[in-house]
Amino acid sequence: MFNRKRSLRQVAAIASISLVTGCGYFSDSGSGSEGPIAVGTTSAPSTLDPAASWDGSWELFRNIYQTLLAYPNGATTPQPDAAESCGFTDDSNRTYRCKLREGMKFSDGDTLDASAVKHSIDRIKKINVSGGPAGLLGSLDRVQVLGEREVVFHLNQADATFPFVLATPAMSIVDPDDYPAGALRKDGKVYGSGPYKLQSYDEGKKAELVKNQNYKGFAERRNDAVTIRYFQDSATMVKALRDNQIDVTYRGLAAGDIVALEKKDGAEDLQLVEGTGTDISYLVFNPQDPWAGKAAVRKAVAQVVDRAAIAHKVYKDTVDPLYSMVPKGLTGHTTGFFDDFGDPDTVKARKFLTDAGITEPVSLTFWYTSDRYGSETALQFAELKRQLEASGLFAITLKDRPWKTYVEGYQKGEYPVFGRGWFPDFPDADNFIAPFVGEQNALGTPYPAHEITETLLPRSRQESDRANVEQDFEEAQQIIVDDARLLPLWQGKQYVAAHEDISGGERALDPSTIMMMWELSRKTSW
């Protein structure tokens, strides 16, 4: 068994690494006068229309579209962006009003007013794309326009998380003249009101961004233009960085490449910064499966799995072991699975099974996606198989599918046990519990959890001060621990690698780990 305490000590030791010391990597100096900054990522957009996107397309959207609320540098709660001010106007958290900045325009010069905001939100619900962002608007009843600059959101229930929803790039404001009310835009063009306008786009390959001269918002643009290049894998992206084809890499760095960048030779002018991440990896047990549906089997798996070994052996300590569905750093985080199960223990796991009358090895099939969460995914599941079979209590079969067909499989309930990852829609504990419970949820496997869905979540959403909802989320997580229907494995970190003449990387990640390209700049002096 891997030493958990030693692993957790090592986690702190890596924080905020700069591969070149004393160079002032993230100084505030610099301007955008030396050509576009080239950023590499493995997260290519699936669409250019916000009404269709609940995925990595948000990375691009944050920079070319605008939302009423967003996250200025250093903010952990949504602040006005396209809006001048926003807030609940009642004590029940059911009426939310925003007033727009004066003189707002889209990048093509068209007026951005309250009617455009209503149009943008209404079309998300009307189009209701399968797998799209309409699911974020479950608490929205209707949108009301008051004059040219005021918009009121009437909710069907108390929902203190609604400002977080409005801050997601899914709620980007679009021009009614260009984006049909009942259909997605199909001409491949974009007219937003964000810090940049999309000058050109080559799907899956490149997006060229230039300053939007009509922009009004909080972003202080430290460059004039950014080119985003999309890569299929980490190795190709890092090679492009080393070959000076790109200036910065973000989203998709593999563990081996991160370690190699940390151990760079003296000839490389590269730097690496580590930031806190809120993405998580977890297992889902299908209650309809003859074996995975048994609580004793799920608890035995939970008792055997060695998260620290996975974090160290597979991910080279570029992730942290996670013992609750809510990651550390958010109000409501606990260590429930460690508190209840402790260190991996085969004897305790066997007792779960024998107490339930199970004496033979349990045969389970674990499924994972082959092309969604990085090359380490296959290694992670091989390690899970090794751990579980080494206990003598399980016989594990591993199967995989590409993401597109993988999603169809778990939505149909085909998998006994399957792996998922989660990049949050917004940085609140609600978004790490609500999507996974209820008769209809993001996993395709019903998880009623009535105490959570009918009492704890509704009660927590009545509280605007999110620091006051800790007890509700602790109770919700304990229910998840007791059921062991969801098994958290690890919490990610965020890494930005760049040439040493680039500044701003530590400011560029918002609380939902989306890159704000306007924070990047070139250094003008040393």
Side-chain angles (χ1 to χ4, degrees), residues 345-362:
D345 192 316
T346 298
V347 174
K348 291 180 180 179
R350 181 178 288 109
K351 189 173 189 306
F352 280 124
L353 297 175
T354 56
D355 285 352
I358 302 170
T359 56
E360 298 296 321
V362 175

Side-chain angles (χ1 to χ4, degrees), residues 428-459:
D428 188 272
D430 185 288
N431 197 235
F432 289 88
I433 294 177
F436 312 130
V437 296
E439 292 293 340
Q440 293 184 326
N441 59 51
L443 303 173
T445 55
Y447 184 4
H450 296 300
E451 178 68 13
I452 297 176
T453 59
E454 297 176 10
T455 301
L456 297 175
L457 287 176
R459 187 168 67 199

Side-chain angles (χ1 to χ4, degrees), residues 36-108:
I37 291 177
V39 179
T41 176
T42 60
S43 182
S46 63
T47 177
L48 294 180
D49 192 325
S53 172
W54 199 352
D55 59 20
S57 305
W58 288 8
E59 195 89 59
L60 178 61
F61 292 177
R62 175 62 77 206
N63 293 278
I64 60 176
Y65 292 107
Q66 200 172 14
T67 46
L68 290 169
L69 302 164
Y71 301 94
N73 178 251
T76 56
T77 57
Q79 304 296 320
D81 186 14
E84 179 181 281
S85 61
C86 286
F88 283 104
T89 60
D90 63 335
D91 294 334
S92 62
N93 289 337
R94 295 183 60 167
T95 305
Y96 195 76
R97 179 177 295 194
C98 289
K99 184 176 183 179
L100 291 172
R101 295 176 187 264
E102 192 171 0
M104 295 291 290
K105 293 182 180 181
F106 291 102
S107 59
D108 63 351

Side-chain angles (χ1 to χ4, degrees), residues 242-449:
R242 287 183 163 135
D243 291 345
N244 295 308
Q245 296 175 1
I246 57 176
D247 300 301
V248 184
T249 68
Y250 171 65
R251 189 78 78 190
L253 285 172
D257 289 322
I258 293 169
V259 171
L261 286 166
E262 289 174 345
K263 296 179 179 178
K264 73 161 191 91
D265 63 53
E268 287 188 320
D269 66 339
L270 302 179
Q271 304 176 62
L272 185 73
V273 68
E274 175 189 324
T276 301
T278 52
D279 58 304
I280 67 171
S281 176
Y282 58 99
L283 295 178
V284 183
F285 293 86
N286 186 344
Q288 303 304 316
D289 181 78
W291 285 118
K294 297 180 183 296
V297 171
R298 300 194 299 266
K299 291 182 178 181
V301 172
Q303 186 63 73
V304 170
V305 168
D306 190 340
R307 296 167 177 81
I310 293 172
H312 181 68
K313 293 170 63 175
V314 176
Y315 289 94
K316 316 298 183 187
D317 296 318
T318 61
V319 302
D320 292 340
L322 182 64
Y323 297 90
S324 74
M325 289 299 289
V326 177
K328 62 183 178 181
L330 296 183
T331 298
H333 167 71
T334 70
T335 54
F337 276 93
F338 185 79
D339 298 340
D340 280 27
F341 293 93
D343 286 318
D345 192 316
T346 298
V347 174
K348 291 180 180 179
R350 181 178 288 109
K351 189 173 189 306
F352 280 124
L353 297 175
T354 56
D355 285 352
I358 302 170
T359 56
E360 298 296 321
V362 175
S363 295
L364 287 171
T365 300
F366 279 40
W367 283 82
Y368 63 92
T369 177
S370 57
D371 61 354
R372 178 72 169 183
Y373 303 122
S375 58
E376 291 90 359
T377 304
L379 300 176
Q380 169 179 294
F381 276 80
E383 174 62 14
L384 285 167
K385 173 181 170 69
R386 186 199 66 77
Q387 292 177 8
L388 292 168
E389 291 188 339
S391 71
L393 304 175
F394 299 94
I396 305 298
T397 299
L398 299 181
K399 293 186 178 182
D400 66 271
R401 285 177 177 172
W403 177 250
K404 185 174 182 179
T405 54
Y406 184 73
V407 172
E408 295 172 357
Y410 73 66
Q411 288 178 341
K412 294 177 181 177
E414 295 179 3
Y415 311 146
V417 185
F418 60 97
R420 279 296 311 270
W422 184 252
F423 286 89
D425 304 315
F426 50 85
D428 188 272
D430 185 288
N431 197 235
F432 289 88
I433 294 177
F436 312 130
V437 296
E439 292 293 340
Q440 293 184 326
N441 59 51
L443 303 173
T445 55
Y447 184 4

